[in-house]
């Protein structure tokens, strides 16, 4: 059985990086895999969240999943906190995760900033909860953007540690699926920084809910360099902003980078940016509109989340009973 788990944090507007690095790829996997897609609200709590905003963002991410083309007849969409097994398994796995493994995680270092001793335990244990998300369903594959690669290596290490300790091949070692032309979409203002929800400048990212004019303005303002576009992808080296925009175009158009360069070689950025704007509006416009339509009926979104959680809970409870039994936790 090939099964997928992947998740998105409900911490704000989803952006083009989330779409191209994750959601777009998820849609293509639903025929081949049993898919569970989580809105990982417990992960969001690793940094302070305003309660009403957290609720609203949870529904927004659900709407984004649906608008991107996730089909609830084939996939379960649910929020993580609606399946208590995530927290339960996270504890069990925390008890077999050496601190040394967590100390290697670069995301903790980035997010904790200078004052590490003020950072929460949850932020530190974040990758263990991620391991629980994936292993709770015995997922075999995890489609993500490149920024999650290190976390998924840890998930594999934790799965291996469990299997060795109990002398069984209980958890499959999940494979990260990092594919497409935009596995790491960069900021529109700085081609060396990741496009991110937490960037202070909204001009650094294209949000899935941005309208046509906003998308056009952000792309027009996007940082570039003075040279025209090359015809060979190798000549994008050392030109991070150009490489980023070409990668975005390629991913949105479902074309390899060299095909995009063949089309735009020698062109100035102004012409290329116009074409990129038209393409981005074409692809993202319908998604934003569908999200807005879905969010007018929050009750319907909640019903989808409830159904998804019911499906996920059934599988989670079955696996947790097996895991508890292996560990020796008595269910009298
Ligand atoms: P999150 O919420 O930061 O991002 C959701 C997904 O979007 C991808 N992504 C990007 N891809 C390309 N370019 C970018 N600039 C970019 N920014 C974000 C992320 O790689 C991710 O696939 N820890 C995860 C959520 C999570 C999870 C899991 C994922 C929790 N449990 C279990 C997989 C499996 C996160 O914070 O993603």
């Amino acid at each position: 059985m090939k099964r997928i788990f992947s998740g998105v944090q409900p911490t704000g507007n989803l952006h083009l990086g989330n779409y191209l690095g994750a959601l777009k790829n998820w849609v293509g996997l639903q025929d081949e895999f049993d898919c569970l897609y989580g809105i990982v609200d417990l992960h969001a709590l690793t940094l302070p969240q305003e309660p009403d905003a957290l609720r609203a963002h949870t529904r927004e991410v659900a709407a984004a999943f649906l608008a991107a083309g996730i089909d609830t007849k084939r996939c379960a969409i649910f929020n993580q906190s609606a399946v208590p097994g995530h927290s339960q398994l996270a504890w069990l796995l925390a008890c077999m995760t050496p601190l040394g493994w967590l100390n290697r995680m670069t995301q903790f270092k980035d997010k904790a900033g200078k004052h590490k001793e003020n950072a929460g335990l949850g932020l530190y244990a974040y990758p263990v909860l991620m391991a629980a998300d994936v292993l709770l369903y015995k997922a075999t594959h995890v489609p993500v953007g490149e920024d999650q690669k290190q976390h998924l290596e840890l998930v594999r290490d934790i799965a291996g540690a469990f299997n060795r300790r109990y002398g069984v091949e209980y958890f499959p070692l999940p494979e990260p699926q990092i594919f497409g032309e935009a596995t790491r979409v960069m900021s529109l203002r700085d081609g060396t920084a990741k496009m991110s929800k937490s960037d202070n400048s909204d001009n650094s990212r294209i949000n899935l809910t941005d309208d046509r004019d906003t998308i056009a303005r952000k792309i027009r303002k996007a940082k570039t360099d003075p040279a025209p576009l090359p015809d060979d992808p190798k000549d994008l080296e050392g030109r991070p902003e150009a490489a980023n925009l070409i990668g975005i175009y390629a991913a949105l158009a479902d074309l390899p980078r060299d095909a995009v360069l063949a089309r735009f070689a020698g062109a100035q950025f102004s012409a290329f940016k116009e074409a990129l704007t038209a393409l981005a509006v074409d692809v993202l416009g319908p998604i934003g509109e569908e999200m807005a339509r879905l969010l007018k009926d929050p009750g319907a979104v909640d019903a989808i989340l409830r159904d998804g959680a019911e499906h996920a809970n059934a599988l989670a409870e079955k696996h947790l009973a097996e895991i508890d039994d292996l560990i020796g936790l008595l269910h009298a």
Side-chain angles (χ1 to χ4, degrees):
M1 167 56 92
K2 293 201 294 181
R3 183 175 292 134
I4 279 178
F5 178 89
S6 196
V8 173
Q9 291 193 68
T11 43
N13 272 328
L14 292 199
H15 54 68
L16 190 61
N18 300 127
Y19 179 66
L20 295 178
L23 267 57
K24 182 176 193 287
N25 294 340
W26 297 2
V27 176
L29 296 166
Q30 19 185 22
D31 288 330
E32 211 188 318
F33 292 84
D34 176 24
C35 300
L36 297 119
Y37 292 124
I39 301 149
V40 289
D41 48 6
L42 300 174
H43 275 106
L45 295 181
T46 55
L47 295 174
Q49 304 295 332
E50 207 275 305
D52 286 334
L54 179 60
R55 254 185 298 273
H57 289 145
T58 301
R59 292 195 180 103
E60 268 164 40
V61 175
F65 286 6
L66 297 167
I70 304 297
D71 174 6
T72 52
K73 289 198 195 73
R74 290 178 287 168
C75 308
I77 296 180
F78 58 99
N79 57 315
Q80 188 187 29
S81 62
V83 182
H86 290 258
S87 315
Q88 285 168 255
L89 184 57
W91 176 258
L92 303 178
L93 298 177
C95 294
M96 50 196 90
T97 305
L99 291 188
W101 292 1
L102 292 176
N103 287 339
R104 288 205 301 264
M105 297 295 112
T106 53
Q107 184 178 293
F108 175 75
K109 291 178 199 159
D110 293 346
K111 289 201 176 172
K114 284 199 197 97
H115 303 288
K116 272 219 286 289
E117 61 287 0
N118 292 341
L121 175 59
L123 191 63
Y124 191 64
Y126 181 113
V128 179
L129 180 58
M130 246 181 99
D133 297 341
V134 173
L135 300 179
L136 184 59
Y137 305 104
K138 300 175 81 169
T140 53
H141 293 79
V142 188
V144 284
E146 204 185 83
D147 59 341
Q148 297 301 316
K149 195 166 172 219
Q150 192 187 37
H151 285 154
L152 289 178
E153 280 160 11
L154 183 75
V155 173
R156 290 168 62 90
D157 288 344
I158 294 176
F162 180 97
N163 291 347
R164 274 192 306 280
R165 177 171 304 187
Y166 296 104
V168 281
E169 287 304 305
Y170 184 74
F171 291 126
L173 301 192
E175 289 291 335
Q177 293 173 302
I178 301 172
F179 61 93
E181 289 292 344
T183 55
R184 188 174 180 83
V185 177
M186 308 309 277
S187 154
L188 298 181
R189 308 299 298 158
D190 173 1
T192 63
K194 191 179 70 167
M195 184 178 285
S196 147
K197 289 175 229 171
S198 54
D199 194 312
N200 287 335
S201 163
D202 194 53
N203 285 330
S204 69
R205 60 185 162 260
I206 295 176
N207 301 310
L208 295 188
T209 48
D210 283 347
D211 61 21
R212 171 185 294 268
D213 289 349
T214 311
I215 294 177
R217 180 175 46 77
K218 287 178 177 175
I219 292 180
R220 210 178 319 116
K221 282 189 153 183
K223 188 173 167 200
T224 50
D225 58 40
L229 286 162
D231 55 11
D232 186 340
K234 280 199 211 85
D235 296 333
L236 289 171
E237 269 167 41
R239 299 179 65 184
E241 283 83 15
N244 187 38
L245 294 181
I246 293 290
I248 291 174
Y249 190 103
L252 284 172
D254 278 324
L255 286 171
R257 278 171 194 233
D258 47 5
V260 178
L261 287 178
R263 196 176 289 175
F264 292 101
Q268 296 300 322
F269 276 103
S270 50
F272 172 69
K273 280 178 165 182
E274 263 178 50
L276 178 59
T277 300
L279 176 62
V281 168
D282 247 20
V283 176
L284 300 182
I287 297 178
E289 283 161 25
E290 178 63 1
M291 281 177 69
R293 191 188 68 78
L294 290 163
L295 290 169
K296 282 195 189 123
D297 187 356
V301 174
D302 290 2
I304 287 171
L305 292 176
R306 266 198 307 278
D307 277 0
E310 198 179 311
H311 173 87
N313 257 314
L315 196 55
E317 280 168 16
K318 173 175 171 291
H319 290 164
L320 264 178
E322 293 166 359
I323 294 163
D324 283 357
D325 194 44
L326 283 169
I327 292 180
L329 296 172
L330 179 67
H331 291 213

